[in-house]
Amino acid sequence: MSASSFDAVEMIRKRPGMYAGPLDDGTGLHAMLFELVANAANEALSGHCDRIDIVLNAGGAATVRDNGRGIPVDIHPRTSKPIAEILMTTPVGGARFGLGMAARPIGGVGVVVVNALSEALDLRIRRDGKAYAMRFCRGKLETALQIVGDTAIHGTEIAFTPDATIFPSNAFDIAVIDRRLRALATHNAGATVTLTDRRGAVPTEIQYRI
């Protein structure tokens, strides 16, 4: 990881509340989830995505998956790193890579903040007939981008576990998420959003149209 990306991650981890919001009332925790949802919703607003899945798992982990274009996997010519890695580790806008996350009309903290404040983050990308995966630990690259198979689908999937050393509680509030997703429904992007809560004995599911 380059010095600049390492410094960015360390800076975020030293002052997490400055980037994610208050840590003790759930604001920062939910801001992380909403950032990923916003990126997917921006893909929908751009006409590249019509399905978004949000899954709350036991142990505080959450997954956001869309069927958009998939984060670019090309090697950036100036850094010799995959664009996906740059987006996850440096505070750059998606505009320069032609991503829906660029304008951030309904977005928030930035995906690099989500990565930096996660105990673990797994990124899966499906595009151009290939499935890619990479893994980060507290914002630092742990497993480099690699092809893990062939696929006929496309999109981005991010599974993250908020860092328990930063957040007093990793319990996502379904009511807070529900209010946010209902607010997104006013954007009329033509996408179906499914929220699945697997933390109880019986999973529950809610669908929205944004």
Side-chain angles (χ1 to χ4, degrees):
M1 187 176 295
S2 68
S4 59
S5 62
F6 177 84
D7 291 344
V9 167
E10 288 299 304
M11 180 172 60
I12 293 166
R13 289 186 60 81
K14 286 180 180 178
R15 297 176 177 82
M18 180 183 298
Y19 297 93
L23 305 178
D24 56 356
D25 65 356
T27 300
L29 178 72
H30 289 85
M32 304 234 300
L33 180 67
F34 296 153
E35 170 65 23
L36 302 184
V37 174
N39 287 342
N42 285 340
E43 277 286 270
L45 287 168
S46 300
H48 299 292
C49 162
D50 63 10
R51 181 174 179 85
I52 301 168
D53 294 298
I54 305 161
V55 182
L56 307 179
N57 295 299
T63 301
V64 177
R65 181 188 310 111
D66 67 60
N67 67 342
R69 292 167 290 179
I71 295 175
V73 295
D74 312 72
I75 300 298
H76 191 279
R78 292 200 302 271
T79 66
S80 299
K81 294 177 180 294
I83 290 173
E85 181 181 340
I86 296 171
L87 286 170
M88 298 302 298
T89 57
T90 60
V92 296
R96 70 183 66 179
F97 303 116
L99 294 177
M101 65 181 68
R104 217 174 289 286
I106 48 178
V109 300
V111 70
V112 64
V113 175
V114 181
N115 190 24
L117 302 184
S118 292
E119 178 181 324
L121 184 147
D122 288 287
L123 171 63
R124 287 187 174 269
I125 301 165
R126 300 172 179 89
R127 60 180 292 148
D128 303 324
K130 298 294 182 182
Y132 301 81
M134 64 193 316
R135 182 177 175 84
F136 300 86
C137 181
R138 294 184 168 88
K140 300 179 182 180
L141 183 65
E142 186 171 90
T143 304
L145 184 72
Q146 56 186 312
I147 297 175
V148 294
D150 298 323
T151 181
I153 62 176
H154 49 84
T156 300
E157 176 181 320
I158 297 179
F160 73 103
T161 302
D163 193 337
T165 66
I166 292 175
F167 297 97
S169 170
N170 62 3
F172 288 103
D173 188 329
I174 197 74
V176 172
I177 300 170
D178 178 72
R179 285 196 297 271
R180 183 57 171 261
L181 295 180
R182 290 184 185 280
L184 285 182
T186 63
H187 287 79
N188 299 317
T192 298
V193 180
T194 302
L195 171 62
T196 304
D197 190 346
R198 293 179 176 168
R199 297 174 296 179
V202 179
T204 60
E205 183 177 295
I206 310 172
Q207 282 198 342
Y208 309 81
R209 288 283 294 176
I210 67 168

